[in-house]
Amino acid sequence: MALLTFELPDGTTRRVDVVQVLNAGYAGRSQDDVAAHVAELAELGVPAPSVTPALYPVAPYLAQHTDRVSVQHGRTSGEAEWALVVDGDGELLLTAACDHTDRELEVHGVAWSKNAGPDVLARRAWRLADVQERLDTLTLRAWVSHAASGGSGDGVGSADGAGSGGTGGFGGTGGFGKETVIQDGTLAELLTPGYWAEVLRERGDLLPGTVLISGTIPMAEGVDQFADRWRVELGDPATGDVIELAYDVVRMPAPIG
């Protein structure tokens, strides 16, 4: 299990002992767009799901607060998402998340690839009830940056998304190259936290310690997703508040033997 601590806007904290993690997939609001994306991914060798939207159980310890993700090779990447967290009292919290996925393994099984990397969660959260009335206006963005030696491969779409989007740039990141926008959208593109809360309730899974990761929005065409650093923001234009996470992607040494 994982023990996570979230700071709320009023300065209080919620400690969550994670007992289950579920990753939504093919979770675009428009399931017609999702169907088209499934067909695109099938051409790249990613197996189609038996049903959409899909739901993939993930080992609870993979829900992490971390600024460093260790990987075995150069074809892994994140996905900007929101996370629904059920705290110890059963209250629903909303935060930013990044599902780091093994793209090499994805062609053999999406569920396998989801268990090959962590779901990185921000350290701040909102009460879902406080933003419920303006959920579709909340923004979800991700930036990638690469070390001076450059990226590590050619990108493809993700199994959680619904197509492709635009590109852009944003600032610098010290030891890394310039940040590039790779995902930029709103929560209106995804099935809602309320939809998933009802799915979990019907399954008997809306339990304290549950974390549900939303599925992602489209990635920009022409941006190398196999990056050395990922940064994700969940923003509330009505208040100007932003929940952010960022982490470095670090290659492990080659195996011996």
Tab-separated table of all heavy atoms in Angstrom, residues 25-42 44 78-80 103 106 155-167 182-185 189-190 215-223 225 230:
chain	number	residue	atom	x	y	z
A	25	GLY	N	-9.205	4.017	-19.015
A	25	GLY	CA	-8.625	4.083	-20.345
A	25	GLY	C	-9.690	4.299	-21.396
A	25	GLY	O	-10.856	3.966	-21.188
A	26	TYR	N	-9.287	4.889	-22.515
A	26	TYR	CA	-10.220	5.187	-23.606
A	26	TYR	C	-11.414	5.967	-23.048
A	26	TYR	O	-12.570	5.647	-23.304
A	26	TYR	CB	-10.677	3.890	-24.278
A	26	TYR	CG	-9.512	3.041	-24.749
A	26	TYR	CD1	-9.042	1.977	-23.982
A	26	TYR	CD2	-8.871	3.333	-25.954
A	26	TYR	CE1	-7.967	1.217	-24.405
A	26	TYR	CE2	-7.791	2.570	-26.382
A	26	TYR	CZ	-7.347	1.509	-25.599
A	26	TYR	OH	-6.275	0.746	-26.009
A	27	ALA	N	-11.079	6.985	-22.259
A	27	ALA	CA	-12.076	7.657	-21.424
A	27	ALA	C	-12.463	9.036	-21.937
A	27	ALA	O	-12.877	9.899	-21.160
A	27	ALA	CB	-11.553	7.755	-19.986
A	28	GLY	N	-12.347	9.267	-23.228
A	28	GLY	CA	-12.800	10.526	-23.787
A	28	GLY	C	-14.312	10.678	-23.669
A	28	GLY	O	-15.053	9.690	-23.732
A	29	ARG	N	-14.782	11.912	-23.513
A	29	ARG	CA	-16.222	12.169	-23.401
A	29	ARG	C	-16.950	11.718	-24.669
A	29	ARG	O	-18.058	11.192	-24.604
A	29	ARG	CB	-16.438	13.671	-23.160
A	29	ARG	CG	-17.856	14.102	-22.848
A	29	ARG	CD	-18.179	14.043	-21.374
A	29	ARG	NE	-17.338	14.793	-20.485
A	29	ARG	CZ	-17.563	16.027	-20.035
A	29	ARG	NH1	-18.648	16.675	-20.422
A	29	ARG	NH2	-16.755	16.598	-19.173
A	30	SER	N	-16.298	11.932	-25.835
A	30	SER	CA	-16.875	11.473	-27.104
A	30	SER	C	-16.373	10.067	-27.393
A	30	SER	O	-15.218	9.863	-27.778
A	30	SER	CB	-16.478	12.411	-28.253
A	30	SER	OG	-16.803	11.818	-29.495
A	31	GLN	N	-17.215	9.077	-27.223
A	31	GLN	CA	-16.806	7.712	-27.481
A	31	GLN	C	-16.683	7.421	-28.976
A	31	GLN	O	-16.010	6.467	-29.367
A	31	GLN	CB	-17.763	6.743	-26.800
A	31	GLN	CG	-17.596	6.709	-25.287
A	31	GLN	CD	-16.259	6.096	-24.859
A	31	GLN	OE1	-16.030	4.907	-25.054
A	31	GLN	NE2	-15.383	6.917	-24.278
A	32	ASP	N	-17.259	8.255	-29.838
A	32	ASP	CA	-17.023	8.122	-31.267
A	32	ASP	C	-15.562	8.438	-31.587
A	32	ASP	O	-14.907	7.732	-32.368
A	32	ASP	CB	-17.936	9.055	-32.062
A	32	ASP	CG	-19.378	8.589	-32.069
A	32	ASP	OD1	-19.612	7.389	-31.802
A	32	ASP	OD2	-20.270	9.418	-32.338
A	33	ASP	N	-15.028	9.515	-30.968
A	33	ASP	CA	-13.617	9.845	-31.154
A	33	ASP	C	-12.733	8.749	-30.574
A	33	ASP	O	-11.681	8.419	-31.135
A	33	ASP	CB	-13.295	11.179	-30.475
A	33	ASP	CG	-13.894	12.369	-31.193
A	33	ASP	OD1	-14.328	12.194	-32.354
A	33	ASP	OD2	-13.936	13.462	-30.591
A	34	VAL	N	-13.149	8.189	-29.444
A	34	VAL	CA	-12.382	7.103	-28.833
A	34	VAL	C	-12.304	5.916	-29.782
A	34	VAL	O	-11.241	5.304	-29.960
A	34	VAL	CB	-13.006	6.690	-27.487
A	34	VAL	CG1	-12.384	5.386	-26.993
A	34	VAL	CG2	-12.809	7.791	-26.449
A	35	ALA	N	-13.418	5.561	-30.411
A	35	ALA	CA	-13.439	4.427	-31.332
A	35	ALA	C	-12.463	4.649	-32.483
A	35	ALA	O	-11.745	3.719	-32.900
A	35	ALA	CB	-14.847	4.210	-31.867
A	36	ALA	N	-12.403	5.874	-32.991
A	36	ALA	CA	-11.456	6.186	-34.058
A	36	ALA	C	-10.024	6.045	-33.561
A	36	ALA	O	-9.134	5.562	-34.278
A	36	ALA	CB	-11.717	7.591	-34.593
A	37	HIS	N	-9.791	6.453	-32.326
A	37	HIS	CA	-8.450	6.366	-31.760
A	37	HIS	C	-8.049	4.916	-31.519
A	37	HIS	O	-6.882	4.543	-31.711
A	37	HIS	CB	-8.399	7.159	-30.449
A	37	HIS	CG	-7.029	7.294	-29.872
A	37	HIS	ND1	-5.960	7.773	-30.588
A	37	HIS	CD2	-6.545	7.001	-28.632
A	37	HIS	CE1	-4.880	7.788	-29.824
A	37	HIS	NE2	-5.209	7.315	-28.634
A	38	VAL	N	-8.983	4.093	-31.106
A	38	VAL	CA	-8.705	2.664	-30.930
A	38	VAL	C	-8.214	2.073	-32.256
A	38	VAL	O	-7.255	1.291	-32.296
A	38	VAL	CB	-9.954	1.917	-30.429
A	38	VAL	CG1	-9.751	0.411	-30.523
A	38	VAL	CG2	-10.274	2.317	-28.990
A	39	ALA	N	-8.861	2.477	-33.346
A	39	ALA	CA	-8.464	1.973	-34.664
A	39	ALA	C	-7.057	2.444	-35.025
A	39	ALA	O	-6.254	1.682	-35.591
A	39	ALA	CB	-9.467	2.435	-35.718
A	40	GLU	N	-6.725	3.703	-34.679
A	40	GLU	CA	-5.384	4.220	-34.943
A	40	GLU	C	-4.339	3.431	-34.167
A	40	GLU	O	-3.282	3.059	-34.705
A	40	GLU	CB	-5.302	5.701	-34.549
A	40	GLU	CG	-6.129	6.632	-35.415
A	40	GLU	CD	-6.154	8.039	-34.847
A	40	GLU	OE1	-5.607	8.240	-33.736
A	40	GLU	OE2	-6.706	8.939	-35.493
A	41	LEU	N	-4.616	3.166	-32.905
A	41	LEU	CA	-3.668	2.447	-32.067
A	41	LEU	C	-3.501	1.007	-32.536
A	41	LEU	O	-2.409	0.445	-32.458
A	41	LEU	CB	-4.112	2.481	-30.608
A	41	LEU	CG	-4.001	3.841	-29.915
A	41	LEU	CD1	-4.593	3.765	-28.517
A	41	LEU	CD2	-2.560	4.319	-29.848
A	42	ALA	N	-4.581	0.409	-33.024
A	42	ALA	CA	-4.507	-0.969	-33.509
A	42	ALA	C	-3.502	-1.070	-34.661
A	42	ALA	O	-2.775	-2.067	-34.783
A	42	ALA	CB	-5.881	-1.452	-33.950
A	44	LEU	N	-0.847	0.533	-34.849
A	44	LEU	CA	0.482	0.602	-34.232
A	44	LEU	C	0.785	-0.627	-33.395
A	44	LEU	O	1.842	-0.712	-32.760
A	44	LEU	CB	0.587	1.862	-33.367
A	44	LEU	CG	0.441	3.193	-34.101
A	44	LEU	CD1	0.331	4.337	-33.109
A	44	LEU	CD2	1.608	3.413	-35.049
A	78	GLY	N	4.728	9.867	-19.887
A	78	GLY	CA	3.634	10.189	-18.992
A	78	GLY	C	2.347	10.482	-19.743
A	78	GLY	O	2.292	10.462	-20.977
A	79	GLU	N	1.298	10.767	-18.969
A	79	GLU	CA	0.001	11.162	-19.509
A	79	GLU	C	-0.652	12.099	-18.505
A	79	GLU	O	-0.824	11.732	-17.337
A	79	GLU	CB	-0.904	9.938	-19.715
A	79	GLU	CG	-0.387	8.950	-20.736
A	79	GLU	CD	-1.271	7.710	-20.852
A	79	GLU	OE1	-2.151	7.527	-19.977
A	79	GLU	OE2	-1.088	6.935	-21.799
A	80	ALA	N	-1.011	13.296	-18.923
A	80	ALA	CA	-1.678	14.248	-18.035
A	80	ALA	C	-3.083	13.754	-17.713
A	80	ALA	O	-3.866	13.456	-18.618
A	80	ALA	CB	-1.747	15.619	-18.703
A	103	ARG	N	5.648	2.171	-23.099
A	103	ARG	CA	5.063	2.056	-24.437
A	103	ARG	C	5.496	0.780	-25.160
A	103	ARG	O	4.766	0.280	-26.030
A	103	ARG	CB	5.426	3.284	-25.277
A	103	ARG	CG	4.973	4.601	-24.671
A	103	ARG	CD	3.488	4.646	-24.457
A	103	ARG	NE	3.088	5.898	-23.808
A	103	ARG	CZ	1.871	6.153	-23.360
A	103	ARG	NH1	0.919	5.247	-23.474
A	103	ARG	NH2	1.592	7.305	-22.780
A	106	GLU	N	3.141	-1.749	-23.849
A	106	GLU	CA	1.747	-1.454	-24.181
A	106	GLU	C	1.253	-2.268	-25.370
A	106	GLU	O	0.086	-2.651	-25.429
A	106	GLU	CB	1.597	0.043	-24.457
A	106	GLU	CG	0.175	0.523	-24.557
A	106	GLU	CD	0.101	2.034	-24.636
A	106	GLU	OE1	0.925	2.640	-25.352
A	106	GLU	OE2	-0.777	2.619	-23.975
A	155	GLY	N	7.307	9.428	-30.957
A	155	GLY	CA	6.113	9.244	-30.155
A	155	GLY	C	4.962	8.636	-30.927
A	155	GLY	O	4.877	8.738	-32.137
A	156	VAL	N	4.074	7.988	-30.194
A	156	VAL	CA	2.791	7.543	-30.731
A	156	VAL	C	1.726	7.991	-29.761
A	156	VAL	O	2.019	8.462	-28.678
A	156	VAL	CB	2.738	6.006	-30.894
A	156	VAL	CG1	3.806	5.548	-31.855
A	156	VAL	CG2	2.877	5.290	-29.561
A	157	GLY	N	0.462	7.854	-30.143
A	157	GLY	CA	-0.629	8.218	-29.258
A	157	GLY	C	-0.689	7.318	-28.046
A	157	GLY	O	-0.046	6.273	-27.986
A	158	SER	N	-1.492	7.701	-27.057
A	158	SER	CA	-1.631	6.885	-25.852
A	158	SER	C	-2.945	6.119	-25.883
A	158	SER	O	-3.903	6.518	-26.539
A	158	SER	CB	-1.609	7.780	-24.609
A	158	SER	OG	-2.846	8.393	-24.434
A	159	ALA	N	-2.983	5.034	-25.135
A	159	ALA	CA	-4.188	4.216	-25.092
A	159	ALA	C	-5.308	4.872	-24.317
A	159	ALA	O	-6.440	4.424	-24.382
A	159	ALA	CB	-3.869	2.859	-24.468
A	160	ASP	N	-4.993	5.941	-23.570
A	160	ASP	CA	-6.026	6.592	-22.763
A	160	ASP	C	-6.712	7.730	-23.510
A	160	ASP	O	-7.718	8.253	-23.066
A	160	ASP	CB	-5.419	7.187	-21.481
A	160	ASP	CG	-5.014	6.103	-20.506
A	160	ASP	OD1	-5.321	4.938	-20.785
A	160	ASP	OD2	-4.392	6.426	-19.490
A	161	GLY	N	-6.144	8.188	-24.609
A	161	GLY	CA	-6.607	9.418	-25.217
A	161	GLY	C	-7.651	9.216	-26.280
A	161	GLY	O	-8.209	8.155	-26.462
A	162	ALA	N	-7.867	10.301	-27.070
A	162	ALA	CA	-8.905	10.250	-28.085
A	162	ALA	C	-8.462	10.848	-29.405
A	162	ALA	O	-9.267	11.128	-30.258
A	162	ALA	CB	-10.151	10.985	-27.578
A	163	GLY	N	-7.168	11.111	-29.598
A	163	GLY	CA	-6.722	11.688	-30.857
A	163	GLY	C	-5.479	12.511	-30.669
A	163	GLY	O	-4.656	12.219	-29.825
A	164	SER	N	-5.332	13.602	-31.457
A	164	SER	CA	-4.145	14.443	-31.396
A	164	SER	C	-4.544	15.896	-31.296
A	164	SER	O	-5.638	16.297	-31.648
A	164	SER	CB	-3.279	14.213	-32.651
A	164	SER	OG	-4.022	14.509	-33.813
A	165	GLY	N	-3.613	16.724	-30.784
A	165	GLY	CA	-3.925	18.128	-30.573
A	165	GLY	C	-2.859	19.039	-31.128
A	165	GLY	O	-2.136	18.705	-32.039
A	166	GLY	N	-2.698	20.233	-30.501
A	166	GLY	CA	-1.769	21.244	-30.980
A	166	GLY	C	-0.457	21.212	-30.242
A	166	GLY	O	-0.210	20.404	-29.374
A	167	THR	N	0.461	22.155	-30.602
A	167	THR	CA	1.774	22.220	-29.995
A	167	THR	C	2.019	23.611	-29.462
A	167	THR	O	1.308	24.554	-29.744
A	167	THR	CB	2.869	21.870	-31.021
A	167	THR	OG1	2.839	22.833	-32.075
A	167	THR	CG2	2.662	20.483	-31.590
A	182	ILE	N	2.841	19.407	-24.568
A	182	ILE	CA	2.490	18.160	-25.244
A	182	ILE	C	1.013	17.823	-25.088
A	182	ILE	O	0.449	17.101	-25.896
A	182	ILE	CB	3.368	16.992	-24.754
A	182	ILE	CG1	3.164	15.759	-25.647
A	182	ILE	CG2	3.129	16.679	-23.270
A	182	ILE	CD1	4.199	14.669	-25.426
A	183	GLN	N	0.362	18.374	-24.060
A	183	GLN	CA	-1.079	18.182	-23.869
A	183	GLN	C	-1.674	19.479	-23.336
A	183	GLN	O	-1.098	20.116	-22.448
A	183	GLN	CB	-1.358	17.033	-22.890
A	183	GLN	CG	-0.936	15.665	-23.426
A	183	GLN	CD	-1.133	14.556	-22.414
A	183	GLN	OE1	-0.324	14.386	-21.512
A	183	GLN	NE2	-2.216	13.805	-22.556
A	184	ASP	N	-2.823	19.864	-23.869
A	184	ASP	CA	-3.450	21.126	-23.484
A	184	ASP	C	-4.945	21.020	-23.751
A	184	ASP	O	-5.374	20.986	-24.905
A	184	ASP	CB	-2.841	22.277	-24.287
A	184	ASP	CG	-3.295	23.639	-23.793
A	184	ASP	OD1	-4.192	23.706	-22.912
A	184	ASP	OD2	-2.758	24.656	-24.270
A	185	GLY	N	-5.729	20.912	-22.689
A	185	GLY	CA	-7.166	20.786	-22.865
A	185	GLY	C	-7.911	21.105	-21.588
A	185	GLY	O	-7.378	21.767	-20.688
A	189	GLU	N	-13.184	17.279	-22.006
A	189	GLU	CA	-12.833	16.258	-22.983
A	189	GLU	C	-12.919	14.844	-22.422
A	189	GLU	O	-12.873	13.873	-23.185
A	189	GLU	CB	-11.410	16.506	-23.500
A	189	GLU	CG	-11.243	17.835	-24.213
A	189	GLU	CD	-9.806	18.085	-24.618
A	189	GLU	OE1	-9.259	17.257	-25.364
A	189	GLU	OE2	-9.226	19.102	-24.187
A	190	LEU	N	-13.038	14.736	-21.106
A	190	LEU	CA	-12.989	13.431	-20.461
A	190	LEU	C	-14.296	13.113	-19.740
A	190	LEU	O	-15.036	14.024	-19.354
A	190	LEU	CB	-11.839	13.398	-19.446
A	190	LEU	CG	-10.433	13.546	-20.013
A	190	LEU	CD1	-9.433	13.788	-18.889
A	190	LEU	CD2	-10.058	12.303	-20.819
A	215	GLY	N	-7.708	8.697	-17.172
A	215	GLY	CA	-7.489	8.639	-18.609
A	215	GLY	C	-7.029	10.016	-19.069
A	215	GLY	O	-7.152	11.002	-18.339
A	216	THR	N	-6.504	10.098	-20.279
A	216	THR	CA	-5.816	11.319	-20.669
A	216	THR	C	-6.468	12.007	-21.860
A	216	THR	O	-7.378	11.471	-22.500
A	216	THR	CB	-4.334	11.020	-20.969
A	216	THR	OG1	-3.583	12.234	-20.965
A	216	THR	CG2	-4.161	10.306	-22.299
A	217	ILE	N	-5.985	13.209	-22.142
A	217	ILE	CA	-6.414	13.990	-23.295
A	217	ILE	C	-5.402	13.782	-24.423
A	217	ILE	O	-4.335	13.224	-24.211
A	217	ILE	CB	-6.554	15.480	-22.935
A	217	ILE	CG1	-5.217	16.040	-22.420
A	217	ILE	CG2	-7.654	15.662	-21.897
A	217	ILE	CD1	-5.246	17.524	-22.113
A	218	PRO	N	-5.726	14.222	-25.657
A	218	PRO	CA	-4.821	13.967	-26.776
A	218	PRO	C	-3.432	14.570	-26.580
A	218	PRO	O	-3.263	15.619	-25.960
A	218	PRO	CB	-5.544	14.619	-27.959
A	218	PRO	CG	-6.981	14.597	-27.579
A	218	PRO	CD	-7.003	14.823	-26.105
A	219	MET	N	-2.446	13.876	-27.153
A	219	MET	CA	-1.083	14.406	-27.207
A	219	MET	C	-0.886	15.169	-28.503
A	219	MET	O	-1.492	14.854	-29.524
A	219	MET	CB	-0.062	13.274	-27.115
A	219	MET	CG	0.054	12.668	-25.734
A	219	MET	SD	1.495	11.581	-25.637
A	219	MET	CE	1.259	10.922	-23.968
A	220	ALA	N	-0.004	16.166	-28.444
A	220	ALA	CA	0.288	16.982	-29.621
A	220	ALA	C	1.064	16.173	-30.645
A	220	ALA	O	1.951	15.386	-30.291
A	220	ALA	CB	1.092	18.214	-29.210
A	221	GLU	N	0.741	16.389	-31.894
A	221	GLU	CA	1.495	15.755	-32.969
A	221	GLU	C	2.869	16.410	-33.082
A	221	GLU	O	3.023	17.617	-32.918
A	221	GLU	CB	0.745	15.882	-34.300
A	221	GLU	CG	-0.562	15.099	-34.346
A	221	GLU	CD	-1.255	15.229	-35.692
A	221	GLU	OE1	-0.829	16.082	-36.497
A	221	GLU	OE2	-2.225	14.493	-35.928
A	222	GLY	N	3.882	15.609	-33.354
A	222	GLY	CA	5.211	16.145	-33.606
A	222	GLY	C	6.028	16.450	-32.368
A	222	GLY	O	7.147	16.959	-32.494
A	223	VAL	N	5.498	16.173	-31.183
A	223	VAL	CA	6.248	16.400	-29.949
A	223	VAL	C	6.732	15.056	-29.423
A	223	VAL	O	5.944	14.106	-29.305
A	223	VAL	CB	5.385	17.107	-28.884
A	223	VAL	CG1	6.174	17.295	-27.589
A	223	VAL	CG2	4.893	18.454	-29.403
A	225	GLN	N	7.324	12.426	-27.038
A	225	GLN	CA	6.796	12.121	-25.711
A	225	GLN	C	7.801	11.384	-24.826
A	225	GLN	O	7.628	11.310	-23.612
A	225	GLN	CB	5.523	11.283	-25.829
A	225	GLN	CG	5.741	9.894	-26.394
A	225	GLN	CD	4.463	9.067	-26.405
A	225	GLN	OE1	3.924	8.734	-25.368
A	225	GLN	NE2	3.976	8.764	-27.603
A	230	TRP	N	8.702	15.465	-17.101
A	230	TRP	CA	7.288	15.734	-17.326
A	230	TRP	C	6.780	16.700	-16.254
A	230	TRP	O	7.181	16.609	-15.081
A	230	TRP	CB	6.467	14.440	-17.252
A	230	TRP	CG	6.457	13.681	-18.542
A	230	TRP	CD1	7.454	12.902	-19.041
A	230	TRP	CD2	5.394	13.642	-19.506
A	230	TRP	NE1	7.085	12.374	-20.255
A	230	TRP	CE2	5.834	12.802	-20.553
A	230	TRP	CE3	4.133	14.213	-19.558
A	230	TRP	CZ2	5.038	12.533	-21.669
A	230	TRP	CZ3	3.341	13.940	-20.661
A	230	TRP	CH2	3.791	13.121	-21.704
